[in-house]
Amino acid sequence: MLRPAWRLSHSCCLPALLLYVSSLVVSLPTLALGQASVVPPSSASAIAIKGLGRAVAPLDGPWQFHLGDDPNWASPTFDDSHWEQLTAEKPWGEQGHPSYTGYAWYRLHLSLNSAPGDQSSFALLVPHLDDVYEIFWNGSSIGRSGKFPPYPIWYRSTDAPVLYPLNPGTPKSGPEHESQLRGTLAIRVWKAPLTSEDSGQSGGFEGSPIVGYPESLAAYKTSLDYQWLRANQFSFAEFLLYGITGVLCLFSWLRDRQQRTLLWMTGFALSPLIRLILYGMRIPWTVGLSNALGPPVSSIRDISLWFLLLWLLHLDDNPSLIRLVRRFAVVSLAASISDGLLSLLDASVSWFWLIQIADAVLTGIYFITAAVPLALVALAVKQRRRLDLGSPAARHRRISLGHDPGRPGASSSGTALYPLDPRRQTAHTPLSPLWQCRIGAHPRRNLPARRSALRRLSHLHGRPPPPQPS
């Protein structure tokens, strides 16, 4: 017969033993069911969305991530549990892989349950991935952007997000007639080699994909497009004014091609509009084409600014300085065109490092020539030249009447010390000599100046002077 202490211990162990056996019996059907059904091997990255309704849901992760390339990674049965995990809110360059270029894969196991009575079709809104990508849903390709190597083609990160249907899925009937869609998203990405404009922090996702019904995602995409247009409307209006000014200057120069200032103003005003069309209008230009045209356009804008400064700062009377500026213009334009042509070469070749070195050298030359405006302003300050902020007519009037002490050949008393040049009568002839001699002064006090201007104007045009006012 057992003692009371042993009887107490046995009375405590017997219920625990019965509970352990019952738990084993209950777990046997579950283990058998798990062996017969297909379960995603990496439960750490599985995302379940229930009762989605008309809303949309971001797939920010964590996503399974791995560097390299293997076509088997698109399969939904592939075991990716040993992969590292990254979020889709930031590129891989900001999550431990800076300056990485080449192939990489993202994977995410997804389970979608629609609300009772709703439709069973889903879609995916994908923002831009840097640079080329292809999306697989349960091993089937549902969309891509760009072209993989060799001879890769890719687009800029400012492009609009793209909508892809999730039709090749595995629909299942759930309780209360709910529609369930379960599968694996796999995204293959290729990052182009770095150039002088890359920071090394890009690559892969630049924003989280959005999942939902096609109608809901279409409405969400429309709101995103409206927000983008509203955020850029001021810039669009500014560049449109630049374009209108450039077109007017171009037509004016075509009527009188001796007016080189109008030509430089055309190049200076049209360049921002052209760059906006190449980079900021969401037009699907390839990166190679936009980079081939963008640097020469920027160089034309800089060169136009140089010659405008020569005219505004009264430095256009120095032939040596003009020849020097022309040489810098040739160097800048040649460097920018060469740099643009490098963008058209195949970025997947093994000797691309030579292209990167050439790109760095040409970019350095461009930055050196970009300091020309500072040198021109410093020279004008050293020579104490005045910035002509008035109209061209006012400048022509001061030159013709000898009231331009900023130019050589004029005395402080206003008497012209150089002869008038009939070949440049547009620069030496006042447009309205009768009332624009000295604005704001008394008309009787301006009679001598107006008479002198009339005599010079009649001498240039070969006509007798009009009768002088009494």
Side-chain angles (χ1 to χ4, degrees), residues 28-39 172:
L28 287 177
T30 305
L31 293 177
L33 181 61
Q35 294 174 357
S37 61
V38 178
V39 180
K172 296 182 180 180

Side-chain angles (χ1 to χ4, degrees), residues 204-273:
F205 279 119
E206 295 182 353
S208 300
I210 309 295
V211 68
Y213 294 143
E215 295 81 4
S216 302
L217 287 179
Y220 182 73
K221 183 178 182 299
T222 302
S223 65
L224 292 180
D225 295 338
Y226 172 75
Q227 294 175 8
W228 171 82
L229 182 61
R230 184 176 181 180
N232 293 276
Q233 61 181 352
F234 178 80
S235 300
F236 293 159
E238 178 186 2
F239 291 129
L240 180 61
L241 291 177
Y242 270 112
I244 294 175
T245 304
V247 171
L248 293 177
C249 291
L250 177 61
F251 288 158
S252 302
W253 175 75
L254 291 176
R255 296 188 61 183
D256 185 5
R257 300 191 180 184
Q258 298 297 326
Q259 300 290 336
R260 297 292 182 87
T261 306
L262 295 174
L263 177 61
W264 305 130
M265 190 62 197
T266 300
F268 181 79
L270 287 182
S271 299
L273 181 61

Side-chain angles (χ1 to χ4, degrees), residues 278-362:
L278 290 175
Y279 296 107
M281 293 294 293
R282 285 187 170 179
I283 300 176
W285 307 107
T286 62
V287 173
L289 179 60
S290 59
N291 284 347
L293 299 177
V297 172
S298 300
S299 179
I300 291 175
R301 177 181 172 87
D302 294 342
I303 294 172
S304 302
L305 176 62
W306 302 347
F307 285 98
L308 285 175
L309 287 177
L310 287 176
W311 178 73
L312 288 172
L313 299 175
H314 302 174
L315 298 174
D316 52 350
D317 56 351
N318 190 340
S320 301
L321 181 60
I322 293 178
R323 286 194 298 269
L324 181 60
V325 172
R326 287 177 179 174
R327 292 172 182 173
F328 272 104
V330 172
V331 171
S332 175
L333 192 59
S336 60
I337 292 177
S338 302
D339 193 17
L341 292 177
L342 292 178
S343 303
L344 300 177
L345 299 178
D346 186 7
S348 62
V349 295
S350 58
W351 46 271
F352 191 81
W353 60 273
L354 293 176
I355 301 178
Q356 292 175 320
I357 294 176
D359 175 66
V361 172
L362 294 174

